[in-house]
Amino acid sequence: MTVTRLGPGRTLAAVAVAVVLTSALVGPVSAGDPYAYFDWDVSYITAAPLGVKQQVIGINGQFPGPIVNITTNWNVVVNVLNDLDEPLLITWNGIQHRKNSWQDGVLGTNCQIPSGWNWTYQFQVKDQIGSFFYFPSTNFQRAAGGYGGIIVNNRDVIPVPFGKPDGDITLFIGDWYSKNHTDLRKMLDGGKSLGMPDGVLINGKGPYRYNDTLVPRGIEHETINVHPGKTYRIRVHNVGISTSLNFRIQNHNMLLVETEGSYTVQQNYTNLDIHVGQSYSFLVTMDQNASSDYYIVASARIVNESIWRRVTGVAILHYSNSKGKASGPLPDPPQDFYDKTFSMNQARSIRWNLSAGAARPNPQGSFRYSSINVSQVYLLKNVPPVVINGKRRATLNGISYFPPETPLRLADQYKLKGVYTLDFPTRPLKGAPKIGKSVINGTYRGFMEIIFQNNDTKVQTYHIDGYAFFVVGMDYGEWTEDSRGTYNKGDGVARSTTQVFPGAWTAILVSLDNVGIWNVRAENLDAWYLGQEVYVRVVNPEDTNKTELPMPDNALYCGLLQKFQNEQTPHHRASSSSITYVRGKLVVLMSILVAMATFT
């Protein structure tokens, strides 16, 4: 096995510990599959991205957090020490966790990591490539940061459908509030909306001072250094709370090549709308004359842009031979005030590259989704927030999800009754909305059609954990059975997050071949926090351990199963290993260390 990305200052003995711990925690893995081990201390740090000091969430003191750079089929072990003053979970946006929803990092599958405790995630990026990101999934913590990128590279034996770029750059764009996430949470709990953000960050930094009125002095901005004539792969993630952003680089074309694990038909864009939770890869060639630096812009979309002017992120693209600073007006956003179809048509233009391979040598187009019979249909309807039992809540099909104290997957493992119900409606409920713990009963190896109907006034994005799905249609108005006649039956792109425009619908198809309990959620953080989510339960009716990995030895217990949890002594900023959770493995560890000492 190969050991990669050990923490700084790790000794030979520490390497041995990492090797043994990884083997013990991950369990049986293929001899040819390497693994990567990461130690993360998640803590509060002080930053002032918009010129106002505030508390943000950093990982190992970094904001944004480190990039996880791995390769298809690698096993990943991430030991997380929760140095926050509240519980924590990390979720892996777009990572499919084949047969392993135990590592999903959401409340339906995991108990939260208590303050001062550590917990080790272990999963394999099985048959997957592409650009993804991670973030804290509970307690509105994503509004404080805690996010970072995930790059899953192709294996050397699988060709990539473009030449090797001269560099790889990750950009995190997202709306930002100067209030702490706890204050934002209180606003939502008190029935208020979040209102307009205070700005947009690029890589955790505020805007370049392109305008003396809109941007005050003393704000640090991001600078991307490049060389003339070189081509770079630029991965862009919208990690914000609720604002769709238009991304553009002044005077440069952006060749779209990949989104969320799928190679796309290669098309040039001068700008692209990137909605909350979405990730894209572009190839950008530095083909300008560098008379000055260039603007990199992420500005608010599908809003009143004259009022939202300050909700704009600006970074600088700096050629090594640049002759001066960027100046003047920003490159224009799309001029679609009277053409509401611009953004939707742009989204429809993103198509699957049928001839390219991805994680496997066979072309992506070998999976002909249009020839598979649909076995289940769910129309999930979103409406503006409503008041239920005196509280402002968000709903899907009239149900606002409220997570039980015992995670759903843990309840299944211990055959607990009454934790949730398998009765989520296939169509919107008639009558008053309600709070519930209703779950979709998915058919293993079935083919599900989901229509997201957005009857709210703002763009919503929706994400499904554990799967990539095919985006086959979107249009304005109410979806009907006749709408299927407009579906893309050939090269709809496969991804894990899709936008749904206000007053419109988006249809997806998903093959339920991954056993587990999987989160379907609004990526707009306010809607998610207020209950806009549901889980899909996918169980193999045959009693076999080949379709799902067993419950991990280090599983945390809570709710009705709290009595099984062994106490862990809080150890803030503690050791980098996860020995706490390796039960019964220390004898093996000591034997190997003794053998190594004898050998050396």
Side-chain angles (χ1 to χ4, degrees), residues 27 61 140 153 188 207 219 262 345 362 392 415 551 562 578:
F140 216 71
N153 303 288
L188 292 175
I219 291 181
S262 288
N345 286 335
N362 51 299
R392 187 170 180 266
K415 297 180 171 55
M551 179 179 172
Q562 179 68 45
S578 54

Side-chain angles (χ1 to χ4, degrees), residues 222-228 232 286 290 292-296 315-326:
E222 178 74 326
T223 297
I224 303 299
N225 295 304
V226 295
H227 296 285
Y232 296 83
M286 304 305 147
S292 68
D293 293 343
Y294 297 92
Y295 294 123
I296 301 172
I316 293 299
L317 185 73
H318 174 73
Y319 279 52
S320 57
N321 64 338
S322 174
K323 297 178 178 63
K325 294 182 177 180

Side-chain angles (χ1 to χ4, degrees), residues 54-237:
Q54 63 184 118
Q55 178 179 275
V56 305
I57 296 176
I59 297 178
N60 296 343
Q62 300 178 44
F63 168 67
I67 304 293
V68 176
N69 196 338
I70 48 182
T71 298
T72 302
N73 292 349
W74 281 22
N75 298 286
V76 180
V77 179
V78 185
N79 182 49
V80 174
L81 172 61
N82 178 11
D83 250 326
L84 306 180
D85 58 1
E86 58 186 13
L88 169 73
L89 280 176
I90 301 288
T91 193
W92 318 88
N93 213 58
I95 298 299
Q96 294 180 20
H97 302 299
R98 302 301 297 177
K99 305 188 294 184
N100 197 7
S101 63
W102 293 108
Q103 307 297 323
D104 201 16
V106 289
L107 288 175
T109 54
N110 297 101
C111 298
Q112 296 186 80
I113 308 167
S115 175
W117 287 35
N118 75 324
W119 197 73
T120 302
Y121 290 90
Q122 54 257 359
F123 55 87
Q124 186 178 31
V125 286
K126 184 70 174 174
D127 292 334
Q128 192 170 17
I129 57 95
S131 307
F132 313 96
F133 65 95
Y134 59 84
F135 64 89
S137 66
T138 61
N139 300 314
F140 216 71
Q141 290 165 354
R142 193 175 84 207
Y147 50 74
I150 305 172
I151 297 172
V152 185
N153 303 288
N154 284 68
R155 291 175 291 156
D156 290 339
V157 296
I158 307 298
V160 177
F162 47 83
K164 184 177 180 180
D166 297 298
D168 201 301
I169 297 166
T170 296
L171 296 178
F172 304 104
I173 62 176
D175 57 1
W176 188 260
Y177 292 80
S178 295
K179 290 185 174 70
N180 286 343
H181 76 284
T182 51
D183 293 327
L184 296 175
R185 200 166 64 201
K186 289 176 183 176
M187 289 174 61
L188 292 175
D189 290 339
K192 298 178 181 177
S193 63
L194 296 178
M196 185 169 63
D198 295 301
V200 167
L201 305 190
I202 298 181
N203 283 358
K205 299 176 183 178
Y208 172 80
R209 199 172 190 217
Y210 69 97
N211 182 300
D212 293 348
T213 302
L214 294 174
V215 184
R217 294 181 183 275
I219 291 181
E220 183 183 5
H221 65 270
E222 178 74 326
T223 297
I224 303 299
N225 295 304
V226 295
H227 296 285
K230 302 292 187 181
T231 296
Y232 296 83
R233 183 171 182 173
I234 300 181
R235 305 172 193 261
V236 188
H237 309 277

